[in-house]
Amino acid sequence: MAGIGMVLRRHHQVRVLLAAEMISLLCDQLSKVALMLLVLHLTGSPAASGAVYALTYLPQLIAAPMLSYLADRYPRRDVLATSYLIQGVLVGVMAVLVGVAEDPLVVLVGLCVLIVGGQFALVPGRAAATAFLRDAVVVRQDYAAAVAARQVVLNLGPLAGFAAAGALVPLIGPVWSLMLDALSFLAAALLVLRGLPRQEPAVVPGQPTSVGVAGPGTVWANWGAGLRVVRTVPGMARALGLALLAGFAVVPEGVAAPLAAELAVGPWAVPLILAADPAGYVLGTWIQDRLGWDRQQRWMPWLAMAMSVPLILFVFSPGLGLTLVLLTASGVAAVYQNTAQAQVGDLAPVDARGATAGIARAGLQTSQGLGVALGGIAAEALGSSMSAIALAGLLGLVTAVLIAKPWSGAQRGVSGTSAI
């Protein structure tokens, strides 16, 4: 990856930031797989399994507008490290709960509460990391490559983690899987504190930013400030809209466990199903890194539509091998997200990068959470996980066509607003 490799060699801070995220992501997948299998075992319900998985997304709808402003009001390194520390403590408590509690209801309720708490802690950290990345890489062309590098980490981490989960979770069980995840968060916090410089806050506490986010306030007030950026900055709404299509592509993740059962394979196949899409994304990024920015922009709407096509083919009930191929193909097409997210980050006002990143993240995570939750409900209602995935693909394709409108030439306007 010529562009990505060059950026990593030039920018020490980017290397540290991505290393910390990789460490936490590797072990985070152990806990996700363990929790999905544990909930499915306790309840026997695909909808319950999907709902618990959705809790890793949905709380950010509220948390992002409430807490993302912290990445602008306090040193971004400190916000990121604190986020990792809190998440590590909460996951450690999960491990104790699963190991000690005997009542399944207590376990389920406790896990739900702790998962939601972890997502509230995650929000300011992710906003700080996104804003810090733009601060550290001032050359726009390098920033586009840095965003792609981060997306590789965010997908390669789960890929490696899911692969390890297939072997480790059945071997060590949910308690030690959660404990390893907790330790990874603590290690990531230490790396951030030792490897990144402590910067001054982007905005003096108590002073409003250029989009009117002055600090703690109502959820709706902070949402409104973030939405003003989306409405008023040319190209922002379309780029963010295309990114939100990930809510359709994530449905197979939410029904991974029941899908494995429908395929008549064992739990060992769940990590493979979960890893297929990230593997495709990494492959797509490797290809995309060899394209110029203008070509990436031209391909963005077409790839957004192509992402859903492999999911539609699940209507033909493929076997495990073809299932993995289709999910990988969907992941390759989803590489357009690199372009869309680089666009959003570059257009964000300097003094509100954290808040804008949080709003964008909230939209993306909420879209994915709803996709996971509704996918589980659809699988139960239709009696087939494959039918639910095919339905998600069809709806995703129709929505992509309406947003992308590649025949209208709208993508030229987006390219013109960002000189990355």
Side-chain angles (χ1 to χ4, degrees):
M1 297 186 185
I4 291 177
M6 178 182 63
V7 167
L8 292 178
R9 288 193 299 271
R10 285 181 180 176
H11 299 279
H12 167 75
Q13 295 176 24
V14 174
R15 295 198 301 271
V16 172
L17 185 66
L18 298 188
E21 290 195 296
M22 176 64 83
I23 290 172
S24 66
L25 285 170
L26 280 173
C27 291
D28 203 27
Q29 310 319 308
L30 294 178
S31 63
K32 285 186 177 181
V33 172
L35 289 174
M36 287 180 65
L37 294 175
L38 177 64
V39 171
L40 187 63
H41 172 73
L42 292 174
T43 65
S45 169
S49 180
V52 170
Y53 192 83
L55 286 177
T56 63
Y57 296 104
L58 289 176
Q60 297 188 47
L61 175 64
I62 298 175
M66 286 177 62
L67 302 175
S68 293
Y69 77 93
L70 294 172
D72 298 318
R73 302 298 167 176
Y74 298 95
R76 286 164 177 162
R77 184 203 69 170
D78 296 352
V79 173
L80 179 57
T82 302
S83 172
Y84 280 140
L85 287 171
I86 294 174
Q87 289 178 79
V89 171
L90 292 176
V91 174
V93 175
M94 284 187 204
V96 174
L97 176 66
V98 172
V100 174
E102 297 181 357
D103 187 342
L105 181 60
V106 172
V107 174
L108 288 174
V109 172
L111 288 177
C112 289
V113 172
L114 291 167
I115 289 172
V116 171
Q119 293 310 297
F120 271 75
L122 169 68
V123 163
R126 279 288 171 85
T130 301
F132 194 101
L133 187 66
R134 189 65 184 95
D135 294 341
V137 186
V138 296
V139 178
R140 288 182 171 182
Q141 198 133 10
D142 285 359
Y143 174 64
V147 170
R150 188 179 183 215
Q151 291 304 310
V152 169
V153 168
L154 293 177
N155 284 273
L156 190 59
L159 174 62
F162 284 139
L168 287 178
V169 173
L171 181 65
I172 66 178
V175 174
W176 283 107
S177 296
L178 291 167
M179 193 61 69
L180 283 176
D181 189 20
L183 292 174
S184 74
F185 280 120
L186 300 181
L190 180 62
L191 181 60
V192 166
L193 290 173
R194 293 180 63 87
L196 296 181
R198 190 177 190 270
Q199 301 173 322
E200 292 299 316
V203 180
V204 177
Q207 297 296 319
T209 70
S210 59
V211 294
V213 181
T218 67
V219 172
W220 301 116
N222 284 288
W223 261 117
L227 291 176
R228 278 195 292 275
V229 177
V230 177
R231 289 198 311 268
T232 59
V233 176
M236 181 75 80
R238 183 170 180 269
L240 185 57
L242 291 175
L244 297 184
L245 294 173
F248 296 102
V250 80
V251 168
E253 291 186 25
V255 297
L259 177 59
E262 190 172 337
L263 289 167
V265 293
W268 58 268
V270 173
L272 295 179
I273 293 171
L274 292 171
D277 182 88
Y281 201 106
V282 172
L283 175 60
T285 300
W286 182 81
I287 297 171
Q288 184 190 52
D289 196 50
R290 283 150 175 77
L291 303 177
W293 176 249
D294 288 339
R295 293 178 68 185
Q296 291 179 30
Q297 289 281 35
R298 287 196 299 270
W299 278 96
M300 182 168 66
W302 299 103
L303 290 174
M305 293 183 288
M307 178 181 68
S308 293
V309 173
L311 304 184
I312 298 175
L313 298 181
F314 274 83
V315 72
F316 298 110
S317 300
L320 177 61
L322 186 54
T323 289
L324 298 179
V325 170
L326 291 175
L327 294 178
T328 301
S330 179
V332 170
V335 74
Y336 79 89
Q337 293 265 349
N338 291 340
T339 308
Q341 293 185 34
Q343 178 90 35
V344 171
D346 183 60
L347 293 175
V350 174
D351 61 353
R353 282 174 178 162
T356 304
I359 294 297
R361 179 90 185 160
L364 181 60
Q365 294 297 302
T366 300
S367 169
Q368 292 176 317
L370 288 173
V372 167
L374 295 176
I377 294 172
E380 200 158 284
L382 298 173
S384 168
S385 298
M386 292 190 185
S387 297
I389 294 172
L391 178 60
L394 179 61
L395 295 175
L397 178 59
V398 172
T399 306
V401 170
L402 294 176
I403 295 176
K405 297 180 181 178
W407 58 84
S408 69
Q411 66 269 27
R412 290 192 295 270
V414 175
S415 181
T417 63
S418 177
I420 296 178

